[in-house]
Amino acid sequence: NAGVTQTPKFQVLKTGQSMTLQCAQDMNHNSMYWYRQDPGMGLRLIYYSASEGTTDKGEVPNGYNVSRLNKREFSLRLESAAPSQTSVYFCAQAEGGDQPQHFGDGTRLSIL
Amino acid sequence: QKEVEQNSGPLSVPEGAIASLNCTYSDRGSQSFFWYRQYSGKSPELIMFIYSNGDKEDGRFTAQLNKASQYVSLLIRDSQPSDSATYLCAVKGYSGAGSYQLTFGKGTKLSVIP
């Protein structure tokens, strides 16, 4: 898993429920990322954190919030889940912003 | 809007042949280029990256970059059935304030026929 641990691996939610997806890296790297992957859409960046204490929006941030709790952990929160957020969510880490990114195993999220 | 285009495939090649995967990108300021392999139901796995014009070889894989044409390719020599996967092209560009972002193509599905 390239030093990235995501929990949970699978989750089913009802519309309107909230949930936090957890991501932790053991590489002591600065940059962390959250992507979603949908059929026919490819991987799209939701939020990223270039370093501890900073977060920035990516291509599709609406409906999500993030927290870079410390250098190791970067969580993604859905405050009020919608069926359009059904997707596979990947967390990634990189040594620095211009270095290759390495992905966790993903969280498969279904919202009914 | 930065775009990365790939032929969705499927690209079918016989075992032992060379598979050629292509990618074009829109942002002329892009600085680094990555190829990921993704098996069905799994996460993307980095297989190659290239920063400079020309070829970069790693085992059976060769990445080729032509910045003037905004084109990057991946060649897989002696293709094996285990190479059957979706290959994602990713392009990194500077997005301001010391940050870089990857833009992914939608991927090319490769099928290696025994």
Side-chain angles (χ1 to χ4, degrees):
Chain A
N1 66 354
V4 180
T5 302
Q6 291 186 238
T7 55
K9 295 191 183 305
F10 302 92
Q11 185 70 46
V12 179
L13 294 177
K14 294 181 179 178
T15 297
Q17 287 185 315
S18 62
M19 167 162 196
T20 300
L21 279 60
Q22 306 287 353
C23 175
Q25 54 111 350
D26 59 9
M27 304 297 289
N28 199 36
H29 287 167
N30 285 319
S31 301
M32 298 185 74
Y33 307 83
W34 276 107
Y35 292 89
R36 60 178 290 174
Q37 187 174 36
D38 304 291
M41 298 297 294
L43 277 159
R44 293 180 293 169
L45 182 65
I46 305 171
Y47 271 94
Y48 65 99
S49 172
S51 60
E52 184 180 355
T54 68
T55 61
D56 285 288
K57 295 178 180 179
E59 181 185 354
V60 288
N62 291 344
Y64 305 95
N65 286 301
V66 290
S67 295
R68 184 76 184 265
L69 304 170
N70 46 54
K71 195 170 186 179
R72 184 173 175 271
E73 298 172 296
F74 187 39
S75 62
L76 178 71
R77 182 161 178 83
L78 287 70
E79 290 291 351
S80 178
S84 61
Q85 294 177 305
T86 292
S87 189
V88 181
Y89 291 85
F90 289 105
C91 178
Q93 57 86 6
E95 185 173 357
D98 60 343
Q99 298 300 308
Q101 294 179 16
H102 300 276
F103 288 80
D105 291 338
T107 294
R108 284 148 184 81
L109 181 61
S110 293
I111 299 161
L112 307 178
Chain B
Q1 180 77 3
K2 300 174 183 177
E3 295 182 347
V4 177
E5 300 288 341
Q6 295 182 255
N7 189 323
S8 62
L11 173 66
S12 294
V13 299
E15 184 175 355
I18 296 175
S20 178
L21 304 163
N22 305 314
C23 173
T24 59
Y25 58 94
S26 64
D27 181 12
R28 189 168 287 277
S30 298
Q31 301 176 337
S32 46
F33 308 85
F34 306 86
W35 283 99
Y36 287 83
R37 177 176 63 199
Q38 188 174 25
Y39 292 113
S40 181
K42 302 296 186 182
S43 61
E45 174 192 9
L46 179 72
I47 53 172
M48 289 285 292
F49 59 91
I50 186 167
Y51 298 147
S52 303
N53 275 332
D55 295 359
K56 179 181 179 181
E57 187 174 319
D58 184 0
R60 295 188 294 113
F61 299 98
T62 298
Q64 299 176 317
L65 175 62
N66 183 326
K67 288 186 177 180
S69 299
Q70 296 176 238
Y71 178 90
V72 58
S73 65
L74 179 70
L75 301 178
I76 306 174
R77 289 181 299 280
D78 188 23
S79 296
Q80 301 298 309
S82 59
D83 294 325
S84 297
T86 297
Y87 289 80
L88 306 176
C89 173
V91 175
K92 184 167 286 189
Y94 186 64
S95 55
S99 298
Y100 298 81
Q101 288 191 26
L102 267 184
T103 301
F104 282 83
K106 296 178 182 179
T108 297
K109 187 172 184 177
L110 172 67
S111 180
V112 180
I113 311 301

